[in-house]
Amino acid sequence: MNPILNQVGTIFIPVSNIKKSRNWYCDILRLLADGEILFGHLYIVPMNGTGIVLDSKIYSAENIFKTPPFHFNTTNIEQAYEYMKSKNVELTTEIEHHKWFNFKDPDGNHLMVCKC
C-alpha cells in the first residue's frame, strides 16, 4: 500500500494582500467573502474538489505563476469569457479552440478557465 495518495489536496496561490485577494477570488467565483483569514496570511477558498489556499506569506514577484498551474471548470466557455470581461479581469488570451482561455489575478498569477 502506497502512503502517498494519487490525489491533489490543495493548490497554494501566492498573493500580496490576503484580504484584497480573498475578496477578488470570492467575487469572480460568486462566493461570500466572509471566511476567516487564518494566521494573518492564509485564506481557504471554499471549492468543490481540489482546494485553493491564498497565501500572502509566500508572495514575491518571483513566486507568481507564469503559466496556469490548474484551470477552473466551466460548461459554457463563451459565457465564462464574457463574465470575466464584465468583471474587468485581465484576459491574456482569447478563447482558444473553443475550449479555454487564460487570465491574470490582481497579483499577475496566470490562471485558466476550461470547458469540461
Side-chain angles (χ1 to χ4, degrees), residues 4 7 14-16 33-35 40 42 46 53 57 60 63 89-91 102 106 108 116:
I4 308 298
Q7 299 172 349
V15 298
S16 62
D34 59 356
L42 296 172
V53 174
K57 192 171 186 178
S60 74
N63 286 346
V89 172
E90 183 180 349
L91 302 169
N102 291 344
C116 296

Side-chain angles (χ1 to χ4, degrees), residues 35-74:
E36 181 182 359
I37 293 172
L38 304 171
F39 313 109
H41 68 96
L42 296 172
Y43 181 71
I44 301 168
V45 180
M47 300 292 291
N48 297 316
T50 300
I52 293 176
V53 174
L54 308 175
D55 189 349
S56 62
K57 192 171 186 178
I58 65 170
Y59 176 81
S60 74
E62 296 80 35
N63 286 346
I64 63 169
F65 294 122
K66 309 271 191 277
T67 58
F70 67 92
H71 68 260
F72 291 101
N73 293 337
T74 187

Side-chain angles (χ1 to χ4, degrees), residues 11-116:
I11 297 165
F12 283 77
I13 299 177
V15 298
S16 62
N17 181 311
I18 193 65
K19 191 172 185 178
K20 179 181 171 187
S21 293
R22 175 196 64 186
N23 295 344
W24 187 85
Y25 277 86
C26 286
D27 180 51
I28 66 163
L29 294 171
R30 293 186 178 164
L31 301 168
L32 291 177
D34 59 356
E36 181 182 359
I37 293 172
L38 304 171
F39 313 109
H41 68 96
L42 296 172
Y43 181 71
I44 301 168
V45 180
M47 300 292 291
N48 297 316
T50 300
I52 293 176
V53 174
L54 308 175
D55 189 349
S56 62
K57 192 171 186 178
I58 65 170
Y59 176 81
S60 74
E62 296 80 35
N63 286 346
I64 63 169
F65 294 122
K66 309 271 191 277
T67 58
F70 67 92
H71 68 260
F72 291 101
N73 293 337
T74 187
T75 57
N76 187 321
I77 197 66
E78 292 83 11
Q79 195 174 53
Y81 188 82
E82 291 303 318
Y83 172 74
M84 296 297 265
K85 277 176 58 174
S86 76
K87 292 286 191 180
N88 295 316
V89 172
E90 183 180 349
L91 302 169
T92 59
T93 68
E94 299 289 325
I95 297 172
E96 302 290 333
H97 307 286
H98 308 286
K99 290 286 187 186
W100 59 272
F101 66 88
N102 291 344
F103 65 96
K104 288 184 184 179
D105 75 2
D107 287 302
N109 288 296
H110 290 252
L111 301 168
M112 177 186 283
V113 174
C114 188
K115 181 178 177 183
C116 296

